[in-house]
């Protein structure tokens, strides 16, 4: 019988399964929100190849400079390449001006790279961080390479499930703890609905004092608790 051999008597190798040879996609939920002293950025940790989960604990929070991070959705290869390019240019820029780069500078580098290659890339970016000029800032760079500063930004496949929740829950002037709770609850609900989002929540709080990383395991997600 086809697929059977002495080394494979039950035909396991002939059993069709999920396609593991496709492009790795960041089917994901990413989110960033500004507060008075900085920003909170967070994302789930699932990377998929079609219906196959290629990595359940990936880190989608990419550091591009000391106090500037980007959140990536779209093609994993494309977004990693873009983040590496921006990090390189920011390092060069900071040496030239002899000071840390502005968050707006980083966001515009993301915009130029994605816009100039919009027919080749599948990359949507949220750029967030803190600088001495404007404090905490969040910029959204969606597919196509436009750019807009927002008090909070969401992206990825899971974001479609939580627009209403975010609009209803967001309040101007939230402090750090409120922003952390807002972000973790929103991403948790997206992960519970979106098959391409899952795993754990990785979070970073960026202020003038630096970056604090946090982690919420899958069995302690806020949607599992009573309000």
């Amino acid at each position: 019988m086809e697929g059977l051999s002495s080394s494979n008597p039950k035909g396991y190798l002939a059993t069709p399964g999920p396609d593991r040879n496709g492009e790795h996609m960041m089917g994901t939920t990413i989110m960033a929100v500004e507060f008075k002293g900085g920003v909170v950025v967070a994302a789930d940790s699932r990377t998929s190849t079609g219906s196959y989960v290629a990595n359940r604990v990936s880190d989608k929070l990419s550091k591009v400079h000391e106090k500037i991070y980007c959140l990536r959705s779209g093609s994993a290869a494309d977004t990693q390449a873009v983040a590496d390019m921006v990090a390189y240019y920011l390092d060069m820029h900071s040496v030239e001006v002899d000071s840390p780069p502005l968050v707006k500078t980083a966001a515009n580098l993301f915009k130029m790279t994605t816009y100039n290659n919009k027919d080749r890339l599948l990359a949507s970016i949220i750029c967030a961080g803190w600088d001495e000029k404007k404090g905490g800032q969040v910029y959204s760079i969606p597919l196509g390479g436009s750019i807009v500063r927002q008090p909070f930004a969401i992206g990825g496949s899971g974001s479609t499930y939580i627009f209403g929740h975010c609009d209803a829950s967001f309040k101007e002037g939230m402090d750090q703890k409120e922003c952390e709770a807002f972000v973790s609850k929103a991403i948790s609900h997206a992960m519970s609905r979106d098959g391409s989002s899952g795993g754990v929540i990785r979070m970073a709080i960026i202020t003038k004092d630096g970056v604090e990383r946090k982690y919420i395991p899958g069995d302690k997600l806020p949607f599992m608790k009573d309000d």
Side-chain angles (χ1 to χ4, degrees), residues 34 67 117 123 130 146 188:
E34 298 177 359
K67 296 176 184 176
N117 299 278
W130 183 93
S146 60
S188 296

Side-chain angles (χ1 to χ4, degrees), residues 24-38:
H24 285 199
M25 302 295 291
M26 307 286 277
T28 183
T29 305
I30 54 177
M31 187 171 183
V33 58
E34 298 177 359
F35 64 93
K36 186 175 182 181

Side-chain angles (χ1 to χ4, degrees), residues 11-209:
Y12 289 133
L13 297 180
T15 303
D19 180 12
R20 296 172 175 80
N21 298 316
E23 183 175 12
H24 285 199
M25 302 295 291
M26 307 286 277
T28 183
T29 305
I30 54 177
M31 187 171 183
V33 58
E34 298 177 359
F35 64 93
K36 186 175 182 181
V39 295
V40 176
V41 298
D44 74 309
S45 64
R46 179 173 293 178
T47 299
S48 55
T49 303
S51 61
Y52 175 70
V53 177
N55 189 345
R56 61 189 178 89
V57 287
S58 59
D59 188 354
K60 301 175 186 177
L61 280 57
S62 298
K63 179 180 177 180
V64 293
H65 207 266
E66 185 179 350
K67 296 176 184 176
I68 305 174
Y69 274 66
C70 76
L71 309 176
R72 303 175 291 114
S73 65
S75 163
D78 290 351
T79 55
Q80 285 173 1
V82 170
D84 288 345
M85 289 174 62
V86 171
Y88 170 77
Y89 286 129
L90 285 179
D91 281 341
M92 298 282 288
H93 173 69
S94 64
V95 171
E96 289 175 351
V97 300
D98 195 26
S99 66
L102 301 178
V103 181
K104 187 175 183 179
T105 301
N108 275 284
L109 283 171
F110 278 112
K111 180 205 75 170
M112 287 191 296
T113 304
T114 53
Y115 179 80
N116 291 335
N117 299 278
K118 62 184 178 227
D119 56 336
R120 304 178 186 90
L121 297 177
L122 183 62
S124 178
I125 305 287
I126 295 174
C127 179
W130 183 93
D131 61 47
E132 292 184 353
K133 187 173 183 180
K134 292 187 177 180
Q137 300 148 73
V138 172
Y139 293 91
S140 179
I141 303 101
L143 294 173
S146 60
I147 183 172
V148 60
R149 182 178 176 183
Q150 298 175 294
F152 76 91
I154 57 178
S157 57
S159 66
T160 57
Y161 297 92
I162 56 171
F163 273 100
H165 168 76
C166 290
D167 288 340
S169 301
F170 176 76
K171 298 179 295 184
E172 293 283 354
M174 289 192 294
D175 61 23
Q176 177 183 325
K177 293 298 182 184
E178 289 175 314
C179 287
E180 289 181 37
F182 171 54
V183 165
S184 58
K185 187 170 184 180
I187 293 179
S188 296
H189 282 287
M191 290 164 64
S192 71
R193 294 289 184 179
D194 178 32
S196 296
S197 300
V200 303
I201 293 178
R202 300 190 187 277
M203 185 183 301
I205 299 93
I206 308 171
T207 65
K208 65 181 179 64
D209 298 320

Side-chain angles (χ1 to χ4, degrees), residues 1-13:
M1 183 181 293
E2 183 180 356
L4 298 181
S5 68
S6 59
S7 61
N8 182 32
K10 294 188 178 180
Y12 289 133
L13 297 180

